Amino acid sequence: MIRRGAAWLTVLAAVVTLGGCRGVQTMLDPAGQQARDIDVIWRVMLAVCGVMYLLVLAFLAWALWRARRARDARDGPPVTGESPADAGLGRGLTGWTALIAAGLVGLTTVSFLVDRSLADVGPSPIHIRVTANQWWWQADYQGDAPSENITTANELHLPLGRPAVIELHANDVIHSFWVPNLAGKVDLIPGRTNYVAVTPKRLGVFRGQCAEFCGWQHAKMAFDVVVEDPKAFAAWMARQSASAAQPASFEATLGQSLFESKACVMCHRIQGANAGATVGPDLTHLMSRRHIAAGALANTRGDLQAWIADPQGVKPGTRMPRVPLSSSELNAIVTYLETLS
Ligand code: CUA
């Protein structure tokens, strides 16, 4: 009875575990060419190593069964010398060695082909420079036209089907760029330039996560990747390259002057306002993003207020200091930020 219960529990655990194979942050649900390539090698490795593992277990079981049978058949210890079964041992070993060699050659071939595919970026890629900071991401799109040069933070947009070459930099310590649904992980290393190619093959919003321990808030160093059709991407690009509009309401105008006179302006840039610092994320189109604080909070009025009122409470150790503000000042600044669409 207990055994049967354990078997059912195992099946249930497997179902629950496999249920986690779909989602916005999993390499088991590839939505990019590179992730698909990696998925192929993963499946081949799993199959080959799984078969090898089962064979080893089967031979072990057979050896145990054989030893027990030999012991039962005789009085005294099993005889380890010549027996009819041993005649096949040499042939068995030869076959086993051939199997291992075939497995290794197969894995090497698949690895070679996948590496070749990963190195082949494809025609007319878009270029993005991503810079990792403790603990947020800056993205600079580098196009041919001025309207294709935009700066944003913690959210990438990519057109479906078109390759993107992402140049990876780090400002402080080593981080790692990883969007499991789209591509493999690549480190961002201070003083060094790395690259990762991403060719999205499915529409959707995927989650990226820093994959190299980089300090206290490493876990809260995430970003969104929005894969959209080329038209929607062009529209997003056009909106991002525009300057922020002047706020219309009194409270938002007050918020802007507070933003420009308090410590906010020491770190953030808002194109179109008197704010040009680049220490923290560019806020020109803040409200177009899904999250704030590098995925730590949703981008809602309440979360914006909470974040500005007490950044260290939300994300201890973050470089964003608490700026002393009255509640009406905080409200005005958030009202201004909400105009940054
Ligand atoms: Cu950046 Cu971990």
Side-chain angles (χ1 to χ4, degrees):
M1 197 62 197
I2 291 173
R3 262 192 203 172
R4 189 176 288 180
W8 277 112
L9 268 182
T10 310
V11 171
L12 187 68
V15 169
V16 169
T17 311
L18 289 173
C21 294
R22 297 198 72 81
V24 295
Q25 191 186 331
T26 168
M27 51 159 285
L28 299 175
D29 183 19
Q33 184 55 51
Q34 292 74 12
R36 283 181 189 172
D37 290 341
I38 294 168
D39 190 58
V40 167
I41 202 168
W42 185 82
R43 281 169 200 274
V44 170
M45 288 253 179
L46 183 69
V48 170
C49 296
V51 167
M52 288 288 183
Y53 176 69
L54 290 178
L55 281 175
V56 168
L57 285 189
F59 278 120
L60 178 66
W62 177 65
L64 289 173
W65 172 78
R66 195 169 151 245
R68 173 178 284 188
R69 214 175 58 144
R71 194 180 56 209
D72 290 349
R74 304 182 189 95
D75 283 329
V79 181
T80 51
E82 288 292 318
S83 80
D86 289 335
L89 195 61
R91 262 175 297 155
L93 277 177
T94 311
W96 184 238
T97 309
L99 195 64
I100 290 173
L104 287 178
V105 169
L107 288 181
T108 308
T109 309
V110 171
S111 174
F112 171 75
L113 292 174
V114 166
D115 270 347
R116 249 173 69 109
S117 177
L118 286 177
D120 181 18
V121 172
S124 65
I126 56 170
H127 292 272
I128 308 168
R129 181 189 165 107
V130 166
T131 310
N133 303 273
Q134 285 176 316
W135 291 277
W136 62 282
W137 307 85
Q138 177 166 326
D140 298 287
Y141 284 67
Q142 301 170 320
D144 298 328
S147 63
E148 291 170 355
N149 290 305
I150 59 159
T151 296
T152 183
N154 300 326
E155 186 172 302
L156 294 179
H157 283 236
L158 298 174
L160 181 70
R162 184 170 166 197
V165 172
I166 303 177
E167 196 183 303
L168 302 167
H169 298 265
N171 267 343
D172 33 43
V173 299
I174 300 176
H175 305 263
S176 186
F177 182 94
W178 194 29
V179 193
N181 295 71
L182 296 179
K185 64 178 84 151
V186 179
D187 280 0
L188 307 96
I189 301 167
R192 194 192 145 89
T193 306
N194 280 343
Y195 296 91
V196 62
V198 178
T199 311
K201 292 289 185 187
R202 201 172 76 217
L203 296 173
V205 181
F206 304 101
R207 192 173 186 274
Q209 167 66 43
C210 180
E212 173 87 31
F213 181 72
C214 54
W216 203 352
Q217 289 301 333
H218 155 69
K220 286 184 181 165
M221 187 171 168
F223 58 102
D224 290 309
V225 180
V226 181
V227 177
E228 50 200 0
D229 66 69
K231 248 188 191 162
F233 174 74
W236 175 81
M237 201 69 157
R239 280 200 309 280
Q240 296 291 316
S241 65
S243 295
Q246 285 303 309
S249 76
F250 171 76
E251 194 185 31
T253 310
L254 176 68
Q256 178 173 6
S257 63
L258 284 167
F259 187 96
E260 291 174 359
S261 57
K262 299 272 182 187
C264 319
V265 77
M266 305 297 287
C267 296
H268 295 288
R269 174 176 173 272
I270 295 174
Q271 189 184 318
N274 288 321
T278 53
V279 178
D282 186 302
L283 302 181
T284 311
H285 298 284
L286 173 67
M287 297 317 290
S288 71
R289 300 174 202 154
R290 280 155 181 73
H291 293 96
I292 54 171
L297 292 173
N299 193 357
T300 61
R301 184 175 177 92
D303 280 356
L304 268 171
Q305 281 171 323
W307 172 237
I308 296 167
D310 186 15
Q312 300 298 324
V314 174
K315 210 168 159 177
T318 177
R319 300 287 183 256
M320 173 142 154
R322 195 174 72 84
V323 180
L325 296 168
S326 70
S327 61
S328 60
E329 287 174 334
L330 176 62
N331 271 319
I333 287 180
V334 171
T335 301
Y336 168 55
L337 292 178
E338 283 183 322
T339 68
L340 304 174
S341 55

